[in-house]
Amino acid sequence: MGFLKSKKILVFAVVLFSIMGFIFYFFYGTPWDMIAYKSKFETYLEDKYNQDFVIKEISYDFLHGGTYHAYAFSKNYPEVTFHIGQNPKLNEIDDAYHYEMWRYQAKNEISPIIEDIFPNRINHAVEVKDFIAPHVTENSNVPNFRDIVTLEIGIAMNHTKITKENEETEMKKAFRLLEALYEKDVNIGHFGISYKNKTLQINSSEIKSVNEYVDVKKWFNDYEK
């Protein structure tokens, strides 16, 4: 009886160990591959950008070709975290350092202007919408965002209702922000403000036709709930 009991415990331990091993492999791959790719990612970034980088949160994607991915940051810009990983289609390493740096540059430059003009906003977003020159991401140099990307700018003013009394004021504020962006040579892919009862949505092809604050009224639409 003791032998059978020990055998059952051994079988149970083997099954449990196998399940745990599969779970670990599913999420992390093999320990040696994880260590190897962490080193590969670090070498790739330092060779490409000539900076020191820190690799963190490495993971394994079993469902997409068994690829490794991680988040990293440059020691020069520790506040900018970006993705780096294997591209399963090209079998190469890709990184999003350029994208996150442009996002960081744009937010740092534009957010203070939005905060000044719209102090009562609930929130706002400054996001990279598109690349004007995608091939630039292959280079080590990270040019200023104004030369490379179009931005999507959104402002949440959902506590503010547009009325006859404040409509002109809100149009002037929107136009003032657009003017500030023009002066900084920012490429705008989309500009939007949401109010309690209306939205203001202007696409890149329409922005050039906004020459004075009264032109903004054309893009005010009732909010559809």
Side-chain angles (χ1 to χ4, degrees):
M1 291 293 292
F3 173 75
L4 291 175
K5 185 176 180 181
S6 298
K7 190 174 181 181
K8 287 180 180 179
I9 292 173
L10 179 62
V11 170
F12 175 78
V14 170
V15 172
L16 180 62
F17 181 80
S18 298
I19 292 172
M20 291 175 64
F22 176 77
I23 292 172
F24 183 91
Y25 177 76
F26 186 86
F27 287 103
Y28 301 103
T30 63
W32 47 90
D33 278 344
M34 181 181 290
I35 294 170
Y37 272 99
K38 184 176 182 180
S39 178
K40 283 183 181 180
F41 291 160
E42 187 173 347
T43 301
Y44 165 89
L45 290 171
E46 291 178 354
D47 287 348
K48 181 176 179 179
Y49 297 107
N50 195 28
Q51 298 180 45
D52 291 329
F53 288 85
V54 175
I55 305 297
K56 62 176 187 176
E57 297 180 33
I58 191 164
S59 61
Y60 179 71
D61 191 344
F62 178 80
L63 298 177
H64 294 88
T67 51
Y68 284 88
H69 302 267
Y71 286 97
F73 61 86
S74 165
K75 289 184 179 180
N76 294 341
Y77 298 97
E79 62 273 43
V80 182
T81 301
F82 61 94
H83 171 266
I84 179 171
Q86 293 176 275
N87 185 321
K89 293 181 180 179
L90 302 176
N91 196 28
E92 297 175 351
I93 296 175
D94 285 339
D95 72 273
Y97 182 60
H98 285 81
Y99 173 86
E100 293 298 342
M101 281 299 297
W102 288 327
R103 189 166 172 261
Y104 172 76
Q105 291 172 359
K107 283 189 173 183
N108 278 1
E109 190 164 324
I110 295 171
S111 287
I113 303 171
I114 295 174
E115 291 164 4
D116 177 56
I117 298 174
F118 293 92
N120 297 324
R121 75 201 180 285
I122 297 174
N123 203 352
H124 74 273
V126 179
E127 299 293 341
V128 172
K129 188 176 189 297
D130 202 3
F131 296 166
I132 297 172
H135 65 277
V136 173
T137 58
E138 299 171 7
N139 302 327
S140 60
N141 183 43
V142 181
N144 189 276
F145 75 95
R146 290 192 296 269
D147 303 322
I148 301 298
V149 302
T150 60
L151 298 179
E152 186 168 14
I153 297 171
I155 303 167
M157 294 284 290
N158 301 77
H159 290 336
T160 301
K161 184 177 181 179
I162 296 295
T163 63
K164 289 182 179 180
E165 289 74 25
N166 71 2
E167 184 178 59
E168 183 176 357
T169 299
E170 294 302 319
M171 287 192 299
K172 286 181 177 179
K173 286 162 64 177
F175 184 69
R176 181 182 162 196
L177 176 55
L178 287 171
E179 275 192 316
L181 297 174
Y182 293 154
E183 290 172 2
K184 288 185 172 292
D185 293 323
V186 174
N187 297 297
I188 305 171
H190 183 266
F191 179 88
I193 307 175
S194 59
Y195 296 91
K196 189 173 184 178
N197 59 329
K198 290 183 181 292
T199 62
L200 173 66
Q201 304 294 329
I202 310 177
N203 293 319
S204 57
S205 60
E206 302 166 332
I207 285 175
K208 290 182 180 179
S209 62
V210 182
N211 298 309
E212 52 186 338
Y213 82 88
V214 292
D215 295 333
V216 173
K217 187 173 183 178
K218 181 179 176 181
W219 284 277
F220 266 133
N221 292 301
D222 291 335
Y223 182 69
E224 296 180 5
K225 294 186 178 180

